[in-house]
Amino acid sequence: MTKEPFIHISRREDMTFARAVAIRLIGVLCSLVVCALVIFVITKLNPIEVYRAIFDGAVGTARRTWVTVRDSLILLCVAIGLTPAFRMRFWNIGAEGQILVGGCVTAAVMIYFGDALPGPLLLLVMVVASLAAGLIWGLIPAFFKANWNTNETLFTLMMNYVAMQIVTFCIVFWENPAGSNTVGIINSKSKVGWLPELFGLTYGWILVIVLLLTVGMFFYLRVSKQGYEIAVVGESENTARYVGISVRKVIMRTMAISGAICGLAGFILVSGSSHTISTSTAGGRGFTAIIVAWLSKFNTFTMILVSFFLVFMEKGALQIASQFKLNENASDVITGIILFFILGSEFFVRYQLKFRKKAVAQEVSK
């Protein structure tokens, strides 16, 4: 006689929005309790003080707040770039490389054309160049995937390292000062090619650009014909071909868009944030953005909150290290615990656990 399982996992069919939000909130609250216990057991510190330090490090002053907002917007931009590819089930792990090539051509335009073009035209050329560079970097793996069904995960991942080598090669020619093996701040005196203030805000243009992308990508995926084609190809390529959709065309077009937006993030980093280029310009955002996209279920408005949360915790790490003389990885541990519970809550949103009565009775009888 076959023994029935004690727990049966089944997919939820009647999950309401309010109930899903409640499950996620419970997950966050549980994560904070566990984090508090971990902090106390390991460091003997007051968890409330540690949480307060994280808050202060991220938004304790006006400058810290704007830096947190700026980095959240840049991470959000990369996540938006990854969204159409992931929605199509094209696993674009190459955002790091696409950011780097976008930033590299932005730096090149600033260095070689900074004195030759008027400011607004220079910025326009930089934007177009970064979009084109990211687009090309995204099209290369898409071309091989569309024609020979290559593994896009490995292909895009390897493209990251190629991009790093290109940046390393360029740094040799752009060293400032000579022999430093760094580019230094580009146009530090004239600030030519730097994104100007908007409405009195240092990062005003970044805010406008990324929010426009957020709204545009949301409606592009939800209501446009191309967004529908992306969804169909993601569900089943055979179904897409059956209804007359050119899978090859959709793959190429979608990765062109994905790469271009990630390339634009490179422009934002170089022109609007760091004003330099190095192999660490992307700073792991291409990989962190994958978490943002998945946790948000490809909803660009939800990505705003997730991006801010991850950057918030990252900035809080510096304050923890300086105030309590702890390793910065302490904040990573806290972030990891919270993410674990958030991901766990997603499981309970989608599935439910059913305890078999017969199985319970058998266990009791034993």
Side-chain angles (χ1 to χ4, degrees), residues 152-302:
E152 72 275 13
T153 304
L154 292 176
F155 205 127
T156 53
L157 182 63
M158 293 300 103
M159 292 287 285
N160 292 335
Y161 296 98
V162 177
M164 291 177 64
Q165 295 305 313
I166 291 175
V167 172
T168 302
F169 177 78
C170 291
I171 289 175
V172 174
F173 298 96
W174 299 340
E175 281 184 329
N176 185 25
S180 65
N181 199 33
T182 61
V183 177
I185 302 300
I186 303 171
N187 301 336
S188 58
K189 294 181 179 179
S190 64
K191 295 186 178 181
V192 175
W194 291 26
L195 274 177
E197 291 185 357
L198 181 66
F199 307 127
L201 301 176
T202 304
Y203 307 120
W205 277 109
I206 299 177
L207 180 64
V208 170
I209 292 170
V210 177
L211 290 184
L212 285 175
L213 284 173
T214 302
V215 176
M217 183 58 70
F218 178 85
F219 286 104
Y220 174 76
L221 292 176
R222 294 298 179 94
V223 302
S224 72
K225 177 185 175 183
Q226 293 183 6
Y228 169 75
E229 291 176 344
I230 289 172
V232 174
V233 172
E235 288 296 327
S236 171
E237 291 187 7
N238 291 331
T239 301
R241 293 188 182 95
Y242 179 78
V243 298
I245 297 175
S246 173
V247 174
R248 180 180 181 278
K249 181 180 179 180
V250 173
I251 290 175
M252 298 284 288
R253 182 183 63 214
T254 304
M255 270 306 292
I257 294 172
S258 180
I261 295 176
C262 291
L264 183 65
F267 160 79
I268 293 173
L269 279 165
V270 173
S271 178
S273 178
S274 65
H275 310 300
T276 188
I277 185 69
S278 71
T279 55
S280 61
T281 292
R285 291 177 178 87
F287 300 112
T288 307
I290 296 174
I291 300 175
V292 174
W294 275 104
L295 283 179
S296 307
K297 296 182 179 178
F298 311 133
N299 185 313
T300 57
F301 292 115
T302 307

Side-chain angles (χ1 to χ4, degrees), residues 70-93:
R70 177 200 67 190
D71 290 352
S72 300
L73 290 170
I74 296 172
L75 179 60
L76 174 61
C77 181
V78 182
I80 290 171
L82 291 175
T83 297
F86 282 1
R87 189 75 178 270
M88 187 181 60
R89 298 296 189 267
F90 186 105
W91 311 122
N92 180 14
I93 315 298

Side-chain angles (χ1 to χ4, degrees), residues 21-96:
V21 171
I23 291 175
R24 294 185 178 102
L25 288 176
I26 292 172
V28 172
L29 291 175
C30 290
S31 69
L32 293 176
V33 172
V34 172
C35 286
L37 292 174
V38 171
I39 291 170
F40 179 76
V41 169
I42 296 179
T43 66
K44 305 302 180 185
L45 295 172
N46 185 339
I48 303 299
E49 292 299 321
V50 175
Y51 288 147
R52 186 178 299 166
I54 292 175
F55 184 87
D56 183 58
V59 294
T61 65
R63 175 170 175 76
R64 289 175 182 173
T65 300
W66 272 110
V67 169
T68 300
V69 170
R70 177 200 67 190
D71 290 352
S72 300
L73 290 170
I74 296 172
L75 179 60
L76 174 61
C77 181
V78 182
I80 290 171
L82 291 175
T83 297
F86 282 1
R87 189 75 178 270
M88 187 181 60
R89 298 296 189 267
F90 186 105
W91 311 122
N92 180 14
I93 315 298
E96 287 278 304

